[in-house]
């Protein structure tokens, strides 16, 4: 790592240790994140990490971004999910495709952390198959009227702005899917439900409805018909982010298991000195190292400007599945105590499971990787 990258990692680790980890269990129970946490992320520049300084971002490289996400996830997986979605796809799309006006009005305050951004693509019948979305937009004079809904939207309630995708009726393009930038305070933007979830309960995941939601034409991102390309444009960064989250949560569980194994005694010695337990920890450590290096490899390729969709998919696939193995083995190391909410591995076990689902399921990652093999 460079000195700058090491400083980012150390800064994120301190914030995670001092602020995030101590309050993670309470956030999970109350299903909310305190404003001080968001302010802390903003003060550190973590809500605009890869946004250019020209728009008040930190201008960090992707390795630094991955390192920061690992540390934040180690403290609280729910917080890292909000940070990930806000940075990419929300900020990433605006920086690449937003108009000058959109960048001034929305990207700049987003990079400063003045609000949280959301991303609305998934629908009840259109998850992995993004081209099947049914939300409709009708253009009337200088605005679009949106009707439909979205599912599983991170920060759908707490977010200040959201990037939405809809099919524009009568669009003279091959694909009618178009991207829109929408304030969540707009009339017709309805949070139909905040979902009850297995894990990451502090991060709100919402079902949204749009009822004659009016969007001024100047809030369209790109041209009509460019929405599908825009939606897919941030996949590399998004998947690097989820892979980094997986590593962070897995590492927290692994370190907790090691500490416990050194303290807990059975049959006259610390349980870490029993070969069965020692081998389990060795397997966990190996999985963790491999996942970490895959994430950093994809991030380095991204920094070098090399297309890395396949490498990002490999990192996301391996890291998310390895993380579940690691956390499960950590829970097993704690024995009965690991099954109790008094210990952090129980929450981490619930939090990490979704990493194999969002930002493209493991099956989708395998499809991407297999296509690259056959290309």
């Amino acid at each position: 790592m460079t000195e700058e990258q090491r400083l980012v990692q150390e800064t994120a680790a301190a914030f995670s240790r001092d602020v995030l980890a101590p309050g993670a269990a309470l956030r999970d129970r109350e299903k909310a994140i305190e404003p001080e946490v968001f302010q802390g992320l903003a003060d550190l520049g973590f809500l605009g990490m890869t946004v250019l300084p020209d728009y008040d971002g930190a201008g960090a490289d992707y390795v630094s971004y991955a390192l920061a996400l690992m540390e934040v996830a180690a403290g609280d997986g729910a917080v890292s999910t909000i940070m990930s979605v806000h940075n990419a796809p929300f900020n990433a799309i605006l920086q690449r495709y937003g108009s000058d006006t959109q960048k001034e009005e929305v990207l700049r305050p987003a990079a400063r952390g003045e609000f949280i951004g959301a991303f609305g693509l998934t629908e009840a019948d259109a998850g992995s198959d993004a081209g099947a979305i049914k939300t409709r937009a009708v253009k009337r004079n200088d605005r679009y009227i949106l009707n439909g809904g979205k599912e599983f939207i991170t920060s759908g309630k707490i977010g200040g702005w959201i990037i939405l995708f809809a099919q524009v009726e009568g669009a003279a393009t091959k694909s009618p899917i178009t991207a829109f930038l929408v304030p969540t305070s707009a009339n017709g933007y309805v949070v139909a439900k905040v979902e009850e979830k297995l894990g990451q309960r502090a991060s709100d995941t919402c079902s949204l409805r749009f009822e004659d939601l009016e969007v001024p034409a100047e809030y369209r991102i790109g041209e009509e018909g460019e929405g599908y390309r825009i939606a897919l444009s941030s996949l590399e960064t998004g998947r690097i982010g989820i892979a980094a989250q997986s590593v962070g949560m897995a590492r927290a569980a692994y370190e907790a298991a090691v500490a416990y194994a050194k303290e807990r005694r059975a049959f006259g010695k610390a349980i870490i000195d029993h070969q069965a337990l020692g081998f389990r920890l060795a397997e966990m450590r190996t999985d963790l190292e491999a996942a970490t290096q895959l994430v950093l490899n994809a991030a380095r390729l991204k920094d070098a400007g090399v297309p890395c969709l396949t490498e990002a998919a490999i990192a996301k696939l391996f890291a998310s599945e390895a993380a579940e193995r690691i956390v499960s083995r950590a829970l097993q190391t704690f024995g009965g105590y690991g099954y109790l909410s008094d210990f952090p591995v129980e929450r981490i076990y619930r939090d990490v499971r979704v990493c194999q689902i969002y930002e493209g399921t493991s099956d989708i990652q395998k499809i991407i990787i297999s296509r690259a093999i056959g290309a």
Side-chain angles (χ1 to χ4, degrees):
M1 290 186 285
T2 66
E3 285 303 311
E4 291 80 4
Q5 290 165 348
R6 193 176 302 280
L7 178 60
V8 168
Q9 183 185 47
E10 292 173 353
T11 300
F15 181 73
S16 181
R17 180 186 64 246
D18 299 340
V19 177
L20 296 181
L26 181 61
R27 290 183 209 105
D28 181 68
R29 290 194 299 270
E30 296 190 349
K31 301 175 184 177
I33 297 172
E34 59 272 35
E36 293 79 11
V37 167
F38 292 123
Q39 188 59 57
L41 291 171
D43 291 344
L44 294 173
F46 290 170
L47 294 180
M49 284 207 70
T50 59
V51 175
L52 295 173
D54 290 348
Y55 293 102
D56 296 342
D61 57 25
Y62 288 96
V63 169
S64 295
Y65 173 60
L67 291 169
L69 260 179
M70 287 179 192
E71 299 300 335
V72 170
D76 192 328
V79 174
S80 71
T81 290
I82 294 173
M83 174 180 162
S84 178
V85 173
H86 181 83
N87 276 283
F90 187 83
N91 284 347
I93 285 176
L94 278 184
Q95 178 163 250
R96 183 171 179 181
Y97 293 101
S99 66
D100 290 341
T101 299
Q102 292 166 358
K103 290 177 180 178
E104 286 295 329
E105 183 179 353
V106 183
L107 178 60
R108 190 179 294 279
R112 293 196 297 262
E114 294 180 8
F115 66 86
I116 295 298
F119 179 77
L121 178 63
T122 300
E123 298 182 2
D125 297 319
S128 299
D129 184 8
I133 64 171
K134 296 179 180 178
T135 297
R136 291 294 186 267
V138 178
K139 190 172 185 181
R140 294 179 184 169
N141 299 320
D142 62 345
R143 59 192 56 238
Y144 293 84
I145 310 301
L146 274 62
N147 283 280
K150 300 293 180 182
E151 302 294 335
F152 307 120
I153 306 304
T154 298
S155 304
K157 183 176 181 180
I158 67 167
W161 289 79
I162 184 170
I163 295 174
L164 293 177
F165 296 84
Q167 298 213 34
V168 175
E169 294 186 4
T173 56
K174 183 177 180 180
S175 169
I177 298 176
T178 302
F180 299 93
L181 182 60
V182 180
T184 60
S185 59
N187 291 331
Y189 179 92
V190 180
V191 178
K193 181 182 179 183
V194 178
E195 303 291 356
E196 295 288 336
K197 300 178 297 183
L198 172 70
Q200 297 205 22
R201 295 171 177 171
S203 167
D204 71 87
T205 302
C206 300
S207 172
L208 305 177
R209 295 293 175 268
F210 314 123
E211 301 171 355
D212 291 332
L213 174 62
E214 294 190 9
V215 182
E218 59 264 31
Y219 284 161
R220 185 188 67 215
I221 302 175
E223 300 299 325
E224 288 185 4
E226 290 187 335
Y228 191 74
R229 179 167 64 91
I230 290 171
L232 299 184
S233 67
S234 61
L235 289 182
E236 291 177 347
T237 307
R239 287 168 181 167
I240 290 169
I242 303 306
Q245 283 184 267
S246 302
V247 168
M249 285 184 267
R251 195 189 71 221
Y254 165 77
E255 290 176 350
V258 170
Y260 182 78
K262 290 179 178 179
E263 296 174 0
R264 175 72 170 175
R265 298 184 65 81
F267 303 104
K269 58 183 177 180
I271 62 173
I272 198 171
D273 294 325
H274 291 282
Q275 188 180 71
L277 198 288
F279 279 10
R280 181 191 302 155
L281 292 172
E283 291 171 348
M284 293 162 65
R285 178 70 180 84
T286 301
D287 264 351
L288 184 61
E289 180 66 21
T292 301
Q293 295 304 327
L294 285 171
V295 174
L296 294 178
N297 175 63
R300 291 186 185 109
L301 290 173
K302 183 74 175 174
D303 282 329
V306 178
C308 60
L309 185 61
T310 302
E311 289 78 7
I314 290 171
K316 202 268 189 187
L317 173 64
F318 185 86
S320 63
E321 297 201 345
E324 185 182 14
R325 292 195 298 270
I326 292 167
V327 180
S328 178
R329 289 167 178 169
L331 191 152
Q332 189 71 24
T333 301
F334 276 85
Y337 291 113
Y339 202 65
L340 303 179
S341 59
D342 295 344
F343 290 80
V345 290
E346 179 270 343
R347 172 182 49 79
I348 300 171
Y349 186 74
R350 291 185 287 105
D351 286 353
V352 82
R353 183 59 181 82
V354 74
C355 291
Q356 296 176 57
I357 299 173
Y358 59 14
E359 199 65 40
T361 65
S362 289
D363 293 328
I364 292 296
Q365 308 311 316
K366 291 174 185 177
I367 289 173
I368 292 169
I369 297 164
S370 65
R371 285 175 179 171
I373 293 170

